[in-house]
Amino acid sequence: MTQPFALPRPSRPGPVVMGIVNVTPDSFSDGGRWASTDLALEHATTLLADGADLLDVGGESTRPGATRPVPAEELDRVVPVITELARRGVAVSVDTMRAEVAAAAVAAGAVVVNDVSGGLSDPEILDVVAQTGAVYVAMHWRAHSERMQEFTHYPEGVVVGVRRELAARVEAALAAGVREEQLVLDPGLGFAKTADQNWELTAGLDAVESLGFPVLVGASRKSFLGSLLAAPDGTPRPIAEREHAGVALSLLLAQRGVWSVRVHDVRATTDALAVWRRLAPTAPEEDA
């Protein structure tokens, strides 16, 4: 096995800001806007200029009810984008559940494999990570998008359940030869969880942190934010109008020391983090 890749670090104190590059026609928040290589690269350039430390390139939508692309289609979507970004020296993550795509992405220059299934969808992805040394984000997951909301029952409570199931994914990764220093955990907000469960899990994030690995949180524009901000008649806030709440949550996550926040609006997030660094008594200060 090669030596593990270095865990990406932020350009300034605080969490790594992971910018989202969806090269898909059907993502829940921006499906189709960046679906070609040229458009995805243009969007990536904007995210970098806005302060992203890491770009997460994905070719499969994981919105509820999404249909999976065939592997060849996913490869065609992500590999050209990753190849060009890596050529420019950009730190890139591939958002995939498939071993085949993960291997091709790392060969193209990705340094992180962000697997929303934590190895449950395609266990061979753990072998790819072990063999390449890529950083591996294992997210809490129970089922594919078309069925995931059928699996929101946690007999012991969502916090205990997620911690237990993530611990099992850590054991599986280590058994496959993945090193501890390669691992990052993601509580999987929005995946097989109700709105209330997402908030309970966010409040209880220390249970996931207690496993001893860096933590990534992806909350940007998700439905539990839409429910929180619902109109008086109960209509959820539209996807494109949830960003302010997401930024507020990113600030709270920064205060508790998460490794990374995965966001759509990088500029709003980095601006808010700059204010936090400058004024918060517990945050590292910017140069005066």
Side-chain angles (χ1 to χ4, degrees):
M1 189 190 84
T2 60
Q3 289 297 311
F5 292 12
L7 189 71
R9 297 295 180 187
S11 57
R12 293 183 175 181
V16 166
V17 176
M18 176 187 275
I20 299 168
V21 182
N22 288 322
V23 195
T24 60
D26 57 346
S27 292
F28 81 97
S29 66
D30 54 9
R33 294 187 66 188
W34 327 113
S36 72
T37 298
D38 288 343
L39 288 173
L41 289 171
E42 180 181 335
H43 182 52
T45 300
T46 298
L47 295 179
L48 291 168
D50 288 343
D53 301 300
L54 177 66
L55 295 181
D56 193 37
V57 179
E60 175 181 353
S61 173
T62 53
R63 65 175 175 80
T67 300
R68 303 196 72 193
V70 298
E73 188 175 14
E74 187 180 354
L75 286 164
D76 287 344
R77 291 174 180 178
V78 302
V79 170
V81 177
I82 292 170
T83 299
E84 176 57 23
L85 290 174
R87 186 190 68 79
R88 299 179 189 178
V90 177
V92 182
S93 166
V94 62
D95 180 358
T96 186
M97 293 181 271
R98 289 182 165 124
E100 177 183 358
V101 177
V106 175
V111 297
V112 178
V113 173
N114 181 17
D115 176 7
V116 300
S117 81
L120 289 170
S121 177
D122 184 354
E124 290 184 4
I125 201 169
L126 300 177
D127 298 323
V128 171
V129 173
Q131 292 161 11
T132 62
V135 174
Y136 183 62
V137 181
M139 195 191 81
H140 178 263
W141 183 90
R142 286 182 157 187
H144 285 290
S145 298
E146 67 272 14
R147 297 192 61 206
M148 65 182 179
Q149 291 310 109
E150 299 173 20
F151 297 91
T152 60
H153 181 54
Y154 296 84
E156 68 272 71
V158 67
V159 174
V160 174
V162 167
R163 186 191 188 281
R164 177 177 54 77
E165 291 172 27
L166 276 177
R169 301 321 305 151
V170 169
E171 291 180 8
L174 296 177
V178 179
R179 299 185 185 183
E180 288 189 357
E181 56 265 40
Q182 291 174 255
L183 289 172
V184 174
L185 301 181
D186 180 340
L189 298 181
F191 289 77
K193 297 166 189 74
T194 66
D196 286 343
Q197 286 170 340
N198 285 311
W199 289 114
E200 184 180 349
L201 181 56
T202 302
L205 200 60
D206 55 339
V208 175
E209 294 169 329
S210 72
L211 291 170
F213 297 93
V215 171
L216 177 149
V217 179
S220 182
R221 300 182 183 173
K222 289 189 174 176
S223 61
F224 72 101
L225 297 175
S227 298
L228 175 72
L229 305 172
D233 66 359
T235 303
R237 179 75 62 84
I239 291 169
E241 299 175 18
R242 301 170 185 172
E243 203 62 58
H244 295 151
V247 170
L249 184 52
S250 290
L251 282 177
L252 292 172
L253 293 168
Q255 289 178 322
R256 67 178 305 146
V258 301
W259 168 70
S260 179
V261 290
R262 183 178 182 273
V263 300
H264 293 86
D265 191 335
V266 168
R267 173 172 284 189
T269 302
T270 56
D271 284 355
L273 289 172
V275 173
W276 168 69
R277 284 191 298 267
R278 189 66 181 87
L279 292 178
T282 58
E285 292 187 358
E286 297 276 19
D287 293 336

